[in-house]
Amino acid sequence: MSHTAIVAVLAGGRARRMGATKASVVLAGRPLISYALAAARAAGLEAVVVAKRDTPLPPLEEQVIFEPEHPLHPLCGVLAALQHSAAQRPPRAVVLSACDMPFLNGPLLKWLAEIDGPAMAQAGGRPQPLLARCQPEHRPILERALTEGSSLTAALRALDPRILGTAELEPFGDPERLCFNVNDPDELRLAESWLA
């Protein structure tokens, strides 16, 4: 298993549009979260799941790290993952992914783990902060961003990240599909059609 970085699968969102907790939603016979975790395993990377204490999760082999109950912000999960990583010896970078990204793959996560410095994907002309890389030393900047109410995208931009555009993502697949999030029942059906 590589010790370059860990993969933090963020599962603490409330998923209001989905009507159920995303991590446990079934996609093609499997919990949605299992796809991101399988990609991390294929990359040879340790994965942790970051969630609220009351987040319903399917049975998992991976360690679950609990983020604070408030505020409801994805930065809470990012900061919890960075705190966990900072306690490792040596501290490791954190590759961020969301529990609702079923088209991530091992080669992409492995490559992202091995590049230097902060990074954030971009697909379809839009930043993709849920496919990103940061390091324990970035915690003070991200903590300040949380205090200021910044979005996750704005917080990661404050790290001056390397932007991973189409040319860098295409070797691993269609960038928009790699970054696809399942946010509602229509997108769940779309993901099922692509998997079929």
Side-chain angles (χ1 to χ4, degrees), residues 78 93-97 108 111-122 127-135 138 142 152-153 155-165 168-169:
V78 176
V94 174
V95 173
L96 302 175
S97 71
L108 171 58
W111 173 75
L112 190 52
E114 292 174 350
I115 66 175
D116 291 326
M120 180 168 57
Q122 180 171 285
Q128 304 292 331
L130 293 174
L131 183 57
R133 183 185 191 278
C134 51
Q135 294 164 204
H138 297 137
L142 298 178
L152 179 58
T153 298
L156 292 176
R157 279 184 172 148
L159 305 179
D160 191 24
R162 173 178 169 181
I163 300 299
L164 310 174
E168 291 178 290
L169 296 177

Side-chain angles (χ1 to χ4, degrees), residues 37-51:
L37 294 172
R41 285 193 291 272
L45 297 169
E46 176 191 344
V48 296
V49 174
V50 189

